Amino acid sequence: MPQGLTTVFTEPGKPFDLESLPTPDIEEGGILIKNTDAVICGSDLHVWRGDGDGPPLSQRRILGHEFTGVVHSLSKGIDTDSLRRPLKEGDRVAFPFFFPCHRCYHCIRGEHHSCTFRSRRNMVGLDKYPYCNGGMAEYFYLQPGHYAYKVPDELPSDAIPSVNCALA
Ligand SMILES: [Zn+2]
Ligand SMILES: [Zn+2]
């Protein structure tokens, strides 16, 4: 697995650290994304300033959830996107940031964006999950069962990041 440059948040108001971390092992059904474009969301600013809804975060973690990239590696058996269109390494893709549970009331109704138990492994912080895997990082890992959609050629890459949040 490649190493990736990772922008690490440590505590509110402090400059980010830049670290080289390994990418997660790709499980069967997983896709490793090489990020190409990202934007900074208002909620990233709240976390960095420590003035969001919850208590200020102090764990080392990777911020960013509005981004896009190209397929770096496909696990064995994955050769299409979530709409069954052919998918290969180098293709540009869009994907939701949060991983839906596929079991709650909203998921069963197909409202994955409203999943009650949506998660990302990297939300636990880098002390428990020390990988290059996030929006403000060089790579992002789509775990098995996650969605990925090939981006139409006519769409510029800098128009994609906000489909993860502001445009959803
Ligand atoms: Zn956002
Ligand atoms: Zn759910």
Side-chain angles (χ1 to χ4, degrees):
M1 290 296 105
Q3 292 269 128
L5 274 182
T6 311
T7 308
V8 179
F9 166 87
T10 54
E11 57 182 302
K14 291 277 164 27
F16 291 79
D17 290 339
L18 203 55
E19 295 182 25
S20 178
L21 297 173
T23 51
D25 285 333
I26 303 176
E27 304 146 292
E28 193 174 337
I31 302 173
L32 186 66
I33 302 297
K34 178 100 193 289
N35 297 337
T36 57
D37 297 77
V39 298
I40 296 170
C41 179
S43 56
D44 293 320
L45 292 175
H46 281 303
V47 171
W48 184 73
R49 291 191 301 242
D51 62 0
D53 289 341
L57 298 175
S58 58
Q59 245 176 350
R60 291 171 68 243
R61 63 178 63 232
I62 304 168
L63 303 186
H65 53 268
E66 298 189 29
F67 57 105
T68 188
V70 298
V71 174
H72 179 275
S73 318
L74 292 166
S75 73
K76 203 170 140 239
I78 297 286
D79 55 8
T80 66
D81 73 359
S82 297
L83 294 174
R84 300 279 170 212
R85 298 173 299 189
L87 188 67
K88 59 182 187 327
E89 290 173 5
D91 281 346
R92 297 186 307 147
V93 283
F95 39 81
F97 175 69
F98 288 104
F99 186 79
C101 76
H102 296 290
R103 289 184 178 84
C104 73
Y105 172 83
H106 296 290
C107 282
I108 288 168
R109 290 164 57 95
E111 300 161 353
H112 297 121
H113 56 286
S114 301
C115 173
T116 313
F117 304 102
R118 63 191 188 160
S119 67
R120 289 254 35 119
R121 287 175 190 168
N122 52 349
M123 299 296 277
V124 299
L126 288 168
D127 293 339
K128 286 190 177 157
Y129 188 75
Y131 294 102
C132 176
N133 182 16
M136 294 185 188
E138 209 173 348
Y139 293 92
F140 188 57
Y141 178 55
L142 302 181
Q143 48 199 81
H146 204 32
Y147 302 95
Y149 301 97
K150 203 165 155 175
V151 173
D153 290 342
E154 57 271 27
L155 238 95
S157 292
D158 61 6
I160 312 301
S162 294
V163 299
N164 273 334
C165 179
L167 300 179

